[in-house]
Amino acid sequence: MSTINFAKREISFKIVYYGPAMSGKTTNLRYIYTTIPEKVKGDFTSIATETERTLFFDFLPLELGNIKGFTIRLSLYTVPGQYIYKLTRKSVLRATDGIVFVADSQIEKKQENIDSFQDMIENLIEFGENVETMPIILQYNKRDLPNILSIEELQQDLNKDNKYQYFEAIAQEGINVIETLKAVTKLVVQKA
Protein backbone atom coordinates (compact mmCIF):
# COMPACT_ATOMS: atom_id res chain seq x y z
CA MET A 1 0.00 0.00 0.00
CA SER A 2 1.26 3.44 -0.84
CA THR A 3 2.23 5.61 2.08
CA ILE A 4 1.64 9.33 2.26
CA ASN A 5 3.82 11.51 4.44
CA PHE A 6 2.05 14.86 4.65
CA ALA A 7 4.86 16.47 6.66
CA LYS A 8 7.43 15.68 3.94
CA ARG A 9 4.81 15.90 1.16
CA GLU A 10 5.83 12.49 -0.18
CA ILE A 11 3.94 9.54 -1.61
CA SER A 12 5.87 6.27 -1.57
CA PHE A 13 5.03 3.25 -3.70
CA LYS A 14 6.47 -0.25 -3.39
CA ILE A 15 7.11 -2.26 -6.55
CA VAL A 16 8.24 -5.88 -6.31
CA TYR A 17 10.05 -7.81 -9.04
CA TYR A 18 8.84 -11.40 -8.70
CA GLY A 19 9.75 -14.55 -10.62
CA PRO A 20 11.69 -17.79 -10.57
CA ALA A 21 15.33 -18.07 -9.51
CA MET A 22 17.82 -16.56 -11.94
CA SER A 23 15.13 -15.08 -14.20
CA GLY A 24 16.71 -11.61 -14.21
CA LYS A 25 15.01 -9.74 -11.36
CA THR A 26 18.24 -8.47 -9.83
CA THR A 27 19.65 -7.79 -13.29
CA ASN A 28 16.69 -5.47 -13.92
CA LEU A 29 17.36 -3.51 -10.73
CA ARG A 30 21.09 -3.30 -11.41
CA TYR A 31 20.43 -1.93 -14.89
CA ILE A 32 17.96 0.62 -13.53
CA TYR A 33 20.45 1.66 -10.88
CA THR A 34 23.28 2.20 -13.37
CA THR A 35 21.05 4.03 -15.85
CA ILE A 36 19.14 6.60 -13.81
CA PRO A 37 20.71 9.88 -12.68
CA GLU A 38 22.42 10.02 -9.28
CA LYS A 39 20.14 12.79 -8.01
CA VAL A 40 17.01 10.61 -8.11
CA LYS A 41 18.30 7.36 -6.63
CA GLY A 42 19.24 6.15 -3.20
CA ASP A 43 21.55 3.34 -2.25
CA PHE A 44 21.26 -0.05 -3.92
CA THR A 45 21.16 -2.72 -1.25
CA SER A 46 21.74 -6.28 -2.39
CA ILE A 47 22.08 -9.40 -0.32
CA ALA A 48 23.36 -12.35 -2.33
CA THR A 49 24.75 -15.82 -1.82
CA GLU A 50 28.15 -16.96 -3.09
CA THR A 51 26.54 -17.89 -6.42
CA GLU A 52 25.23 -14.32 -6.90
CA ARG A 53 21.61 -15.27 -6.31
CA THR A 54 19.53 -12.86 -4.28
CA LEU A 55 19.10 -14.27 -0.82
CA PHE A 56 16.68 -11.79 0.67
CA PHE A 57 15.97 -8.77 -1.46
CA ASP A 58 17.37 -5.97 -3.50
CA PHE A 59 16.15 -2.50 -2.62
CA LEU A 60 16.42 0.62 -4.72
CA PRO A 61 14.60 3.84 -3.77
CA LEU A 62 13.87 6.25 -6.63
CA GLU A 63 12.44 9.73 -6.70
CA LEU A 64 10.19 10.52 -9.66
CA GLY A 65 9.36 14.19 -9.34
CA ASN A 66 6.12 15.80 -8.15
CA ILE A 67 2.40 15.30 -8.56
CA LYS A 68 0.18 18.00 -7.05
CA GLY A 69 2.98 19.17 -4.78
CA PHE A 70 3.89 15.69 -3.51
CA THR A 71 7.22 14.03 -4.26
CA ILE A 72 6.71 10.56 -5.72
CA ARG A 73 9.10 7.89 -4.44
CA LEU A 74 9.42 4.33 -5.63
CA SER A 75 10.97 1.53 -3.64
CA LEU A 76 11.96 -1.36 -5.88
CA TYR A 77 12.45 -4.81 -4.40
CA THR A 78 13.21 -8.26 -5.75
CA VAL A 79 12.27 -11.51 -4.13
CA PRO A 80 14.49 -14.58 -3.96
CA GLY A 81 13.30 -17.03 -6.57
CA GLN A 82 14.58 -20.18 -4.92
CA TYR A 83 11.82 -22.39 -3.53
CA ILE A 84 13.40 -22.65 -0.07
CA TYR A 85 12.87 -18.90 0.44
CA LYS A 86 9.08 -19.05 0.11
CA LEU A 87 8.50 -17.23 3.42
CA THR A 88 10.93 -14.47 2.50
CA ARG A 89 9.19 -13.98 -0.87
CA LYS A 90 5.90 -13.70 0.97
CA SER A 91 7.30 -11.14 3.39
CA VAL A 92 8.77 -8.95 0.64
CA LEU A 93 5.54 -9.12 -1.39
CA ARG A 94 3.38 -7.94 1.51
CA ALA A 95 1.90 -4.44 1.07
CA THR A 96 3.14 -4.04 -2.49
CA ASP A 97 1.60 -1.48 -4.83
CA GLY A 98 2.65 -3.18 -8.05
CA ILE A 99 4.50 -6.18 -9.44
CA VAL A 100 6.80 -6.92 -12.34
CA PHE A 101 6.75 -10.66 -12.94
CA VAL A 102 10.05 -11.58 -14.62
CA ALA A 103 9.69 -14.85 -16.53
CA ASP A 104 12.69 -16.76 -17.85
CA SER A 105 12.07 -17.46 -21.55
CA GLN A 106 14.17 -20.64 -21.64
CA ILE A 107 12.19 -23.79 -22.47
CA GLU A 108 13.54 -25.65 -19.43
CA LYS A 109 12.20 -22.86 -17.16
CA LYS A 110 8.58 -23.23 -18.29
CA GLN A 111 7.31 -25.01 -15.17
CA GLU A 112 9.32 -22.77 -12.83
CA ASN A 113 7.65 -19.73 -14.41
CA ILE A 114 4.19 -21.26 -13.95
CA ASP A 115 4.91 -22.32 -10.36
CA SER A 116 6.36 -18.94 -9.42
CA PHE A 117 3.44 -17.05 -10.96
CA GLN A 118 0.96 -19.26 -9.11
CA ASP A 119 2.91 -18.75 -5.87
CA MET A 120 2.68 -14.99 -6.36
CA ILE A 121 -1.08 -15.12 -6.95
CA GLU A 122 -1.63 -17.37 -3.92
CA ASN A 123 0.39 -15.01 -1.72
CA LEU A 124 -1.58 -11.99 -2.92
CA ILE A 125 -4.87 -13.75 -2.20
CA GLU A 126 -3.63 -14.77 1.25
CA PHE A 127 -2.82 -11.10 1.96
CA GLY A 128 -6.36 -10.15 0.96
CA GLU A 129 -5.23 -8.33 -2.18
CA ASN A 130 -7.57 -8.07 -5.14
CA VAL A 131 -5.66 -9.93 -7.85
CA GLU A 132 -7.93 -8.42 -10.49
CA THR A 133 -6.91 -4.85 -9.68
CA MET A 134 -3.27 -5.37 -8.60
CA PRO A 135 -0.97 -3.60 -11.10
CA ILE A 136 1.04 -6.42 -12.69
CA ILE A 137 3.35 -6.23 -15.70
CA LEU A 138 4.92 -9.33 -17.24
CA GLN A 139 8.47 -9.26 -18.52
CA TYR A 140 9.55 -12.15 -20.74
CA ASN A 141 13.28 -12.00 -20.19
CA LYS A 142 16.29 -13.64 -21.86
CA ARG A 143 14.83 -13.34 -25.36
CA ASP A 144 18.36 -13.49 -26.81
CA LEU A 145 19.07 -17.06 -25.71
CA PRO A 146 18.68 -20.18 -27.86
CA ASN A 147 15.91 -22.68 -27.07
CA ILE A 148 13.36 -20.22 -25.78
CA LEU A 149 9.60 -20.43 -25.49
CA SER A 150 7.61 -18.47 -28.03
CA ILE A 151 5.66 -15.43 -26.86
CA GLU A 152 2.49 -17.39 -27.58
CA GLU A 153 3.63 -20.20 -25.24
CA LEU A 154 4.56 -17.74 -22.49
CA GLN A 155 1.22 -16.00 -22.89
CA GLN A 156 -0.60 -19.35 -22.69
CA ASP A 157 1.28 -20.23 -19.50
CA LEU A 158 1.03 -16.88 -17.70
CA ASN A 159 -1.43 -14.59 -19.44
CA LYS A 160 -4.14 -16.70 -21.10
CA ASP A 161 -6.73 -13.92 -21.00
CA ASN A 162 -4.22 -11.32 -22.21
CA LYS A 163 -5.02 -9.43 -19.02
CA TYR A 164 -1.50 -8.15 -18.37
CA GLN A 165 0.72 -5.95 -20.47
CA TYR A 166 4.00 -7.67 -21.28
CA PHE A 167 7.45 -6.78 -22.55
CA GLU A 168 10.03 -8.91 -24.32
CA ALA A 169 13.33 -8.15 -22.61
CA ILE A 170 17.02 -8.79 -22.45
CA ALA A 171 17.75 -7.39 -19.00
CA GLN A 172 21.53 -7.82 -19.26
CA GLU A 173 21.52 -5.42 -22.20
CA GLY A 174 18.83 -3.17 -20.73
CA ILE A 175 16.36 -3.98 -23.50
CA ASN A 176 12.86 -3.03 -22.27
CA VAL A 177 14.01 -2.75 -18.65
CA ILE A 178 13.17 0.95 -18.28
CA GLU A 179 10.02 0.50 -20.38
CA THR A 180 8.83 -2.22 -18.00
CA LEU A 181 9.47 0.03 -15.01
CA LYS A 182 7.63 2.93 -16.63
CA ALA A 183 4.63 0.71 -17.41
CA VAL A 184 4.27 -0.64 -13.87
CA THR A 185 4.83 2.82 -12.39
CA LYS A 186 2.07 4.26 -14.57
CA LEU A 187 -0.35 1.54 -13.41
CA VAL A 188 0.59 2.04 -9.75
CA VAL A 189 0.14 5.82 -9.87
CA GLN A 190 -3.16 5.51 -11.78
CA LYS A 191 -4.50 3.10 -9.15
CA ALA A 192 -3.55 5.44 -6.30
Side-chain angles (χ1 to χ4, degrees), residues 1-4 11-14 95-97 188 192:
M1 294 284 164
S2 61
T3 57
I4 300 173
I11 303 173
S12 297
F13 297 101
K14 178 181 178 182
T96 190
D97 295 299
V188 165

Side-chain angles (χ1 to χ4, degrees), residues 65-80:
N66 291 302
I67 295 178
K68 295 186 179 181
F70 282 82
T71 300
I72 302 299
R73 294 183 55 95
L74 292 180
S75 296
L76 307 180
Y77 293 81
T78 67
V79 298

Side-chain angles (χ1 to χ4, degrees), residues 12 16 56 73 77 87 98 101 105 114 131 136 164 173 178:
S12 297
V16 174
F56 288 103
R73 294 183 55 95
Y77 293 81
L87 292 176
F101 185 85
S105 292
I114 294 168
V131 179
I136 298 174
Y164 308 113
E173 296 176 21
I178 299 299

Side-chain angles (χ1 to χ4, degrees), residues 1 3 12-19 24-26 28-30 32 43-47 54 56-62 73-80 88-89 91-102 181 184:
M1 294 284 164
T3 57
S12 297
F13 297 101
K14 178 181 178 182
I15 296 174
V16 174
Y17 282 66
Y18 207 99
K25 301 175 299 291
T26 298
N28 268 272
L29 263 62
R30 283 190 179 131
I32 292 165
D43 291 333
F44 182 82
T45 304
S46 181
I47 303 169
T54 305
F56 288 103
F57 63 86
D58 296 312
F59 170 72
L60 172 61
L62 298 176
R73 294 183 55 95
L74 292 180
S75 296
L76 307 180
Y77 293 81
T78 67
V79 298
T88 303
R89 278 196 307 278
S91 177
V92 173
L93 187 62
R94 185 180 297 278
T96 190
D97 295 299
I99 300 167
V100 172
F101 185 85
V102 181
L181 176 61
V184 74

Side-chain angles (χ1 to χ4, degrees), residues 3-165:
T3 57
I4 300 173
N5 183 327
F6 287 98
K8 290 185 176 182
R9 303 206 43 85
E10 289 181 345
I11 303 173
S12 297
F13 297 101
K14 178 181 178 182
I15 296 174
V16 174
Y17 282 66
Y18 207 99
M22 305 297 287
S23 61
K25 301 175 299 291
T26 298
T27 304
N28 268 272
L29 263 62
R30 283 190 179 131
Y31 182 82
I32 292 165
Y33 186 78
T34 60
T35 304
I36 59 173
E38 289 290 328
K39 65 181 179 178
V40 298
K41 65 185 175 186
D43 291 333
F44 182 82
T45 304
S46 181
I47 303 169
T49 65
E50 292 175 10
T51 58
E52 292 299 316
R53 290 176 163 200
T54 305
L55 181 57
F56 288 103
F57 63 86
D58 296 312
F59 170 72
L60 172 61
L62 298 176
E63 200 169 291
L64 294 180
N66 291 302
I67 295 178
K68 295 186 179 181
F70 282 82
T71 300
I72 302 299
R73 294 183 55 95
L74 292 180
S75 296
L76 307 180
Y77 293 81
T78 67
V79 298
Q82 300 90 323
Y83 183 76
I84 61 171
Y85 298 115
K86 183 174 177 61
L87 292 176
T88 303
R89 278 196 307 278
K90 227 174 169 171
S91 177
V92 173
L93 187 62
R94 185 180 297 278
T96 190
D97 295 299
I99 300 167
V100 172
F101 185 85
V102 181
D104 189 323
S105 292
Q106 296 176 90
I107 290 171
E108 64 270 18
K109 298 296 185 171
K110 176 183 175 96
Q111 193 59 49
E112 288 179 50
N113 289 330
I114 294 168
D115 292 345
S116 183
F117 191 81
Q118 187 58 42
D119 179 64
M120 177 189 76
I121 296 297
E122 289 170 3
N123 288 336
L124 289 170
I125 291 169
E126 186 177 323
F127 295 148
E129 294 289 346
N130 184 338
V131 179
E132 298 302 315
T133 61
M134 174 61 68
I136 298 174
I137 297 289
L138 302 178
Q139 184 188 79
Y140 300 141
N141 193 26
K142 302 185 181 183
R143 299 304 297 164
D144 58 329
L145 298 180
N147 300 319
I148 58 173
L149 296 160
S150 69
I151 293 300
E152 293 77 20
E153 290 171 300
L154 287 162
Q155 285 285 88
Q156 183 63 32
D157 292 342
L158 305 173
N159 197 16
K160 285 182 189 146
D161 300 328
N162 206 26
K163 178 179 168 182
Y164 308 113
Q165 184 179 1

